[in-house]
Amino acid sequence: MRFPLLISALALLLSACSDITDMAAIEEEIRTGIQQQSGVTATIDCPSEIEWRVGGTFNCLVINGAQRSIATVSMQNAKGEYIWQVR
């Protein structure tokens, strides 16, 4: 089964006490979004460290059994808001 194109228009605002590079929280947000949108339970693997740059992007691997996809995370602002899209 191929992943359908999943687009999340939801941005996650991390709390003021959270590190905006909390990759575990970003992975969980993507995993939950995929499950809610498609019913697929996937494993998400984002880079362990990134430099948070407004307008920057990074990729996370989306794994569902033998299927692999990429979730592109777009950094929206210095508050830690982002959007993601699976291709």
Side-chain angles (χ1 to χ4, degrees):
M1 177 174 123
R2 296 189 56 83
F3 283 109
L5 179 63
L6 300 172
I7 301 174
S8 176
L10 302 174
L12 175 66
L13 176 59
L14 303 175
S15 66
C17 61
S18 294
D19 181 355
I20 60 173
T21 58
D22 181 356
M23 299 312 279
I26 294 172
E27 290 171 345
E28 179 62 20
E29 169 71 18
I30 295 170
R31 186 195 66 73
T32 300
I34 289 172
Q35 188 169 30
Q36 290 174 347
Q37 293 178 40
S38 68
V40 172
T41 301
T43 300
I44 312 301
D45 185 21
C46 294
S48 57
E49 294 182 21
I50 58 150
E51 179 182 344
W52 193 271
R53 288 187 332 267
V54 175
T57 63
F58 61 92
N59 292 324
C60 300
L61 182 61
V62 179
I63 305 165
N64 178 30
Q67 298 295 317
R68 304 286 191 265
S69 298
I70 298 294
T72 300
V73 179
S74 301
M75 299 170 264
Q76 301 297 296
N77 58 38
K79 294 179 185 177
E81 294 177 335
Y82 59 88
I83 57 174
W84 58 270
Q85 176 179 346
V86 175
R87 301 178 191 263

